[in-house]
Each structure stands twice: as C-alpha cells, then as structure tokens.
C-alpha cells in the first residue's frame, strides 16, 4: 500500500579490490538518456551553491563508477583514480540504499536526466527483488557480490568465511531509501513499497530492553546460525515469525546513534512502540559506578508516556549536549539527512545537532589546532579504516580519536577518578570531508570555508570529489572513495540545494502520525551556555 506523502515538509524540485566492475564511462545503463532538466544549482539555492553543485557532480562520478549497470548495485569502495580494478567486490544494504538516494539526488540536481535515473533505479529494485533474504524477517544479509547480487559466503578481499548476518542499522538505511524511491519515481512506487513493507523491523526489537534501561530497544542484529566464536543469544525471532535467531549480545542502547533510523522505521511500521525512543541512554547514568564513561554527566529525570528517562548531558567549553558513543559526526547527524529531526524535536535534536557541530568545529580549530574540522569514521590516510571523532564528546572512554596518533583524552571524574591525560597535545589530525557536509544545515558558511581549505590547501580532491580523509599536518591523503561516505555527501548537498527534498520523499502521513508526537515531547538537557563570540 502506498502512503500519502506528508505535506509538512517543503518540497522544491524534483540519491578493496577484487572483482572487476564497469568503468565510469560504462556505468550508465544502456539506452538513450534524456538531457538533465537544468544545468547548475537550482534558483535561490543559497550561498556557495555553485561550489556545492560542483561537489555533487564530482561525487556522483564516484558513485557511477562504483555502480554495476546489470544489477544496479554499487561496490563498497573504489580507488581514488576510479579504476575498476580497485573496486571492492562486495556491497552491503547501506551501500545499496545510499546509491538509491544518490541517484534520486543526482536527478533532482540535474546531474543525470530522468530517463537515466529511472533506468538506474529500476536495475537496483529489480536486483533487490531477487536477492536472497532472511525468510522470517524479510531482511537483507550484510554482504553481497555487486556484479551478480549473490549473497557472499567468502569475503573477496581476505578469503575469510562469512557467517551471514542481518544488521539492524544496515537494513534501516536500505529500507529508508526504498521509502524515498517509492515517492520519487512513480514507475517504481508499487515495487519499492512492496520491498519496504516486507522488511519487518520488529524482528530486531527486544521488548525487554537492555540492562538498566526502562523500555525496549533494538539488538544490533542476528545470525541464522551460531556465528562461530562470536557472542550470540539464541531466541525465537522477536517478531513472532516462529524462526529462531542468534541475536548479538549487544543492544543499540545510546540515543545519539546512526542506528536510530531503524527505530524510527519500526515505529512507522507499527511493529515497535513509540516508547522505544525512551529505551536508549542519553548518557550512561551519573555516579562512580559508571565512572568508566568519558565524562560524569549531569542531568535530570523526565517522564515520557510513563517511562522515566535520565536526560544526561556532557559538557564542552560551557555547552552541554547529548553525546554519541564515539563522538563522531555521522553517529549524530546521518539520520538527520532523511528524518526532519529538528522540526519534530524542537527541545531535543534542534538544540543538540548545532551544538554537536560547534563542538567538532571548536575542537578542530581551537583545542587541537588542526586548522580544519569534521571527524567521523573513514579511510585511514596511512592504510585501512579507522574511527575518528572528538574523544571528549563520546561516551566510550577510549573513544574515537581525532588524530593519527590516537591521542586519548582522559579527564577527572570528580569524586571518582583522576584523569590521566586531561590536557593533551594533539598530533596529526584526520579530517573526513563527509563529516563536514553533514553540518551544512547548521553552519553553512563554516562548512564551505572548511571544504574550500581541504580542497585547495590540502589537495584532498580528485575525479570523484573529496577523497575520504586527510591527515592535516603531514598532508597525507586517503585516496579512496567509500560508497557510504559519498552517499552522505550527495544527500547533504541535495538537501542544501533543494530545501530538504529527500526528507519530503521519506516522510508520509503514517510515519508522521506515529513518530512526530513521541519526538516532540522529548526534552534533552542540551544548552549553548555562554555563546562563543
């Protein structure tokens, strides 16, 4: 059943090495493509629109280079010169979802024509319809071969045996993209909707919740069989399908997490209660029993629909905010690309998001002295992949660090512990451009200045747009493009230039009626304190 799009969101204008993939030139589907509807950014697109349009065009080149025309599935990553031989040979539900909304965005920005976008989206949806899934939940596995759509049992880059896993958050991003496609491309509305409706997010929801929490919350996902040496909890599948699942031992138990997209979808489907928004920690509780966390929080307890929630906050230069687990930008702001969190959470997200951006900015420019900012998990400029963030702004005590040296901040917890490194000297800071793009709604001028420096002074820009990360002191660039990070950039630019069109596609009346009241009543303890001059 297709749902009526909500009218509350403004709509203007129209989303390592292994197997061989199509070259960038061959990545476009066959057949004639209509000309782009317009060249350049939309009218009244705001400051920096031409730069943002150029960034989007180049970023799309990397997405097109990763996409396989026969299947419409993107590789997870590709080398900085977009050579097909450097493509990863594997993909995930998140990668596929990001490619879908990036294709819609490319069409809406006039980068590709409507015919080409439709053919690309049709190829992807057709492949999704035949890909192997879990019978009890309708969820997709974590790894597939992008050139065929087959489920992977062996990881192509390492030869490691894969225990097929059904990820809560990865399926969340794919399902979110299907909601967008069903509204953005009328010829695929019924097919995209059928796929979306078949994905039952209550399969992840543990109504008993995590220890110490007052309401149910999601597990990280499940396996169909015992996962070798991995920690698993066998249980009947939570949605009552009758299937057995082997759930992750961990829950998603922090509020500021990218995993909240799955919670939103479960509420929208009616499979989990809106009280799930109270089933995650803002911070860990106060007191010395929880002094392992990065800071001792302050806060008060509030009651929502009969559920008591400790509204804890951390502090940074006079500001207070609800932290993420690792202190990264994408944990805080990725769901905001699709969900109107600031409009529906005037006393929660509308405060927390801009303060999160300011914390990242002050850390990079002032505290650490890097000259640049924006920290999020990404390619490591020195090889591999690493988690970057502002350590003091994350719950994890040895959190995501902002430099290559992994400088760990450890402050006093008064009355509990004495910090071992309260005033650190930071080293070679690693900035990740996608993190800066996520901040566009909250500091557009600051983001544009930051990105221009990363492009022009650090040289972290190539044929597919911004490279994935750069270490600013040594000027070491991770010359690789990650599908996930590029798709966040596409979504952020699309929203900035079209007044949140992606949110308009994502939201319908049913989602708004079920989710908005629960979000509107939330009151975080976030505060600007003494404003920065």
């Amino acid at each position: 059943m297709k749902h009526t799009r909500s009218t509350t969101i403004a709509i203007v204008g129209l989303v390592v090495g292994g197997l061989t993939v199509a070259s960038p030139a061959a990545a476009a589907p066959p057949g004639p493509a209509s000309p782009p509807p317009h060249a350049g950014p939309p009218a009244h697109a705001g400051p920096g629109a031409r730069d943002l349009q150029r960034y989007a065009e180049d970023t799309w080149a990397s997405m097109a280079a990763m996409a396989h025309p026969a299947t419409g599935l993107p590789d997870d990553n590709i080398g900085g010169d977009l050579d097909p031989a450097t493509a990863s040979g594997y993909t995930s539900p998140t990668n596929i979802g990001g490619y879908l909304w990036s294709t819609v965005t490319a069409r809406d920005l006039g980068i590709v024509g409507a015919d080409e976008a439709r053919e690309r989206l049709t190829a992807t949806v057709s492949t999704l319809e035949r890909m192997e899934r879990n019978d009890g939940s309708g969820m997709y596995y974590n790894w597939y071969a992008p050139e065929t759509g087959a489920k992977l049992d062996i990881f192509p880059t390492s030869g490691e045996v894969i225990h097929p896993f059904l990820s809560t958050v990865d399926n969340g991003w794919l399902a979110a993209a299907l909601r967008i496609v069903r509204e953005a491309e009328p010829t695929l509305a019924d097919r995209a909707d059928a796929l979306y409706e078949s994905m039952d997010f209550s399969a992840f929801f543990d109504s008993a919740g995590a220890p110490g929490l007052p309401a149910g919350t999601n597990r990280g996902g499940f396996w169909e069989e015992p996962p070798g040496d991995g920690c698993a909890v066998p249980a009947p599948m939570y949605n009552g399908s009758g299937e057995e699942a082997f759930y992750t031992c961990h829950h998603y138990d922090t509020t500021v997490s990218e995993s909240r997209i799955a919670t939103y979808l479960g509420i929208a489907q009616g499979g989990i209660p809106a009280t799930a928004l109270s089933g995650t920690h803002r911070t860990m509780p106060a007191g010395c029993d929880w002094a392992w966390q990065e800071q001792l929080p302050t806060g008060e307890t509030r009651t929502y629909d009969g559920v008591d929630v400790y509204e804890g906050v951390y502090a940074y230069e006079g500001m207070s905010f609800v932290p993420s687990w690792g202190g990264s930008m994408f944990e805080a702001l990725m769901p905001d690309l699709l969900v109107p969190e600031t409009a529906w959470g005037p006393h929660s997200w509308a405060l927390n998001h801009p303060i999160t951006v300011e914390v990242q900015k002050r850390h990079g420019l002032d505290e650490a002295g890097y000259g640049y900012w924006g920290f999020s998990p990404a390619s490591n400029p020195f090889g591999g992949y690493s988690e970057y963030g502002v350590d003091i702004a994350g719950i994890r005590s040895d959190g995501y660090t902002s430099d290559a040296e992994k400088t760990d901040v450890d402050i006093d917890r008064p009355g509990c512990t004495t910090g071992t490194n309260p005033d650190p000297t930071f080293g070679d800071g690693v900035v990740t451009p996608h993190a800066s793009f996520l901040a566009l709604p909250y500091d557009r001028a600051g983001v544009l200045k930051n990105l221009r420096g990363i492009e022009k002074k650090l040289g972290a820009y190539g044929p597919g747009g911004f490279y994935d990360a750069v270490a600013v002191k040594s000027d070491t660039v991770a010359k690789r493009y990650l599908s996930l990070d590029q798709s966040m950039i596409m979504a952020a630019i699309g929203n900035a230039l079209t007044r949140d069109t992606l949110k308009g596609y994502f939201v319908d009346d049913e989602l708004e009626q079920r989710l908005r009241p629960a979000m509107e009543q939330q009151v975080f303890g976030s505060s600007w304190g003494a404003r920065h001059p």
Side-chain angles (χ1 to χ4, degrees), residues 54-250:
R54 175 172 61 87
Y55 296 155
E57 291 169 359
D58 292 341
T59 301
W60 172 250
S62 71
M63 299 297 292
M66 285 184 272
H68 292 249
T71 62
L73 303 185
D75 279 277
D76 178 85
N77 62 81
I78 195 168
D81 58 1
L82 305 184
D83 182 351
T86 64
S88 66
Y90 56 88
T91 194
S92 71
T94 294
N95 297 150
I96 299 166
Y99 173 69
L100 287 172
W101 73 60
S102 294
T103 302
V104 171
T105 297
R107 181 202 67 186
D108 291 356
L109 293 179
I111 299 169
V112 300
D115 291 346
E116 179 180 342
R118 185 181 307 112
E119 291 179 15
R120 287 180 178 274
L121 295 170
T122 300
T124 308
V125 169
S126 298
T127 303
L128 286 168
E129 289 172 332
R130 63 177 174 79
M131 283 164 58
E132 185 178 352
R133 292 194 274 168
N134 172 258
D135 292 336
S137 65
M139 295 295 170
Y140 288 85
Y141 299 97
N142 237 33
W143 302 115
Y144 293 89
E147 75 279 11
T148 64
K151 182 180 72 173
L152 287 175
D153 297 310
I154 301 292
F155 214 69
T157 55
S158 66
E160 183 181 356
V161 173
I162 295 173
H163 297 279
F165 181 65
L166 293 304
S167 164
T168 305
V169 66
D170 280 275
N171 276 285
W173 291 117
L174 176 55
L178 289 169
R179 290 180 64 95
I180 291 169
V181 171
R182 73 180 186 181
E183 295 291 347
E185 180 46 62
T187 64
L188 293 171
D190 291 341
R191 295 169 66 185
D193 187 61
L195 286 171
Y196 167 70
E197 293 291 351
S198 70
M199 299 172 72
D200 183 359
F201 281 88
S202 68
F204 297 119
F205 183 71
D206 180 3
S207 60
L213 283 169
T217 191
N218 288 321
R219 294 272 186 180
F222 63 88
W223 297 266
E224 295 171 330
E225 303 290 341
D229 296 332
C231 182
V233 178
M237 196 173 289
Y238 294 142
N239 63 359
S241 68
E243 301 287 331
E244 184 176 33
F246 293 82
Y247 285 98
T248 58
C249 291
H250 74 275

